Amino acid sequence: MPFCSLLKFPIVDPHRDKRDHILSAAERCFVRGGFHRSTMQDVAAEAGMSVGNVYRYFKSKDALVEGLVARDRAEVADDFEQLSPGDLMGSFTALMRRQIVGTGRAKAALWLEICTEAARNPAVGVVTRAYEVEIQGRLATFFDAVIQARTADHGGSPNPQALAGLVIAYLSGLMVKRAMSPVPDDAEQRLAELLAIVAAALEGRLMPSGNPVRAASHVEETI
């Protein structure tokens, strides 16, 4: 499955800059005051616009959240477009570096705010779940390509979907910890840990396949 689109047609959106400006203002407000304490008036003040003008672009705070998720979704999709078939693990490492090392506490706090809202707001929940499904699908496609490209048999192949789910769980846990801790974590160490997990799975030393028999026998072999 190709990682890059064969044809790309640019979509001209005359309101994109204004929407991005408002979304950035909303992001700062949500990180600073939380989703529920922040109002559309707060967002308008942060953006230096009238409330009525903000409502022209986003009808509600839910719409702002949808916009933030869509923007992040587009950025991550672009990251996946950069994965190189000639250097799969190298380009994957670069992608994970951007996600782990390049993501600070403010971004993690925003993500936690959105996830918390998704747990109690069905409309936001639909958007965030769709995003997670898309990311897991992209990761699974990538891992499947890596597995197919391997020339040596390392004793078994992981389930690409299960490995993708494991990566998402790791990143999600890291984001929660980062959002809640006032002390910065060692981002390079966290990156190294995730890459070690992925490498172990791809080499057959860790089998996130959902098959407890295979996993148990592998543990016995290593004791």
Side-chain angles (χ1 to χ4, degrees):
M1 185 174 186
F3 291 110
C4 300
S5 303
L6 295 177
L7 295 174
K8 291 185 178 180
F9 298 96
I11 300 175
V12 178
D13 181 359
H15 303 298
R16 179 175 178 178
D17 288 347
K18 187 68 71 176
R19 289 174 60 86
D20 279 345
H21 177 69
I22 295 170
L23 287 174
S24 295
E27 181 173 328
R28 293 190 296 272
C29 285
F30 294 162
V31 169
R32 185 169 60 240
F35 180 81
H36 280 282
R37 286 201 300 170
S38 299
T39 65
M40 293 295 276
Q41 289 80 4
D42 293 330
V43 174
E46 184 72 24
M49 300 169 61
S50 69
V51 177
N53 205 14
V54 170
Y55 274 111
R56 285 182 55 199
Y57 297 93
F58 297 96
K59 301 300 183 185
S60 64
K61 284 200 294 182
D62 285 0
L64 285 170
V65 171
E66 291 174 12
L68 287 168
V69 172
R71 185 168 69 171
D72 193 55
R73 196 172 185 172
E75 291 173 356
V76 172
D78 186 63
D79 282 342
F80 274 95
E81 291 281 349
Q82 308 307 314
L83 289 174
S84 170
D87 184 18
L88 290 173
M89 288 309 299
S91 53
F92 175 73
T93 298
L95 187 156
M96 289 297 102
R97 181 177 296 279
R98 288 192 293 274
Q99 292 300 312
I100 295 176
V101 179
T103 299
R105 185 171 183 270
K107 193 75 173 180
L110 175 67
W111 178 87
L112 185 56
E113 281 290 329
I114 291 175
C115 286
T116 301
E117 183 62 16
R120 57 193 172 207
N121 185 328
V124 175
V126 168
V127 173
T128 55
R129 280 192 294 273
Y131 181 31
E132 183 172 330
V133 168
E134 178 183 334
I135 297 304
Q136 183 164 350
R138 288 180 178 274
L139 282 171
T141 297
F142 166 76
F143 289 134
D144 186 59
V146 174
I147 292 167
Q148 297 303 319
R150 292 189 312 172
T151 57
D153 182 5
H154 295 289
S157 297
N159 180 313
Q161 279 285 348
L163 181 52
L166 183 63
V167 170
I168 289 176
Y170 182 93
L171 292 174
S172 296
L174 175 61
M175 293 286 267
V176 171
K177 183 177 183 298
R178 188 169 284 176
M180 297 179 67
S181 175
V183 180
D185 58 61
D186 187 339
E188 289 290 347
Q189 180 62 30
R190 301 292 83 77
L191 173 63
E193 289 169 355
L194 178 59
L195 293 177
I197 291 170
V198 171
L202 292 174
E203 293 169 8
R205 294 182 285 115
L206 172 68
M207 298 296 288
S209 63
N211 186 338
V213 175
R214 174 65 180 86
S217 63
H218 184 69
V219 169
E220 291 170 0
E221 292 167 7
T222 59
I223 294 177

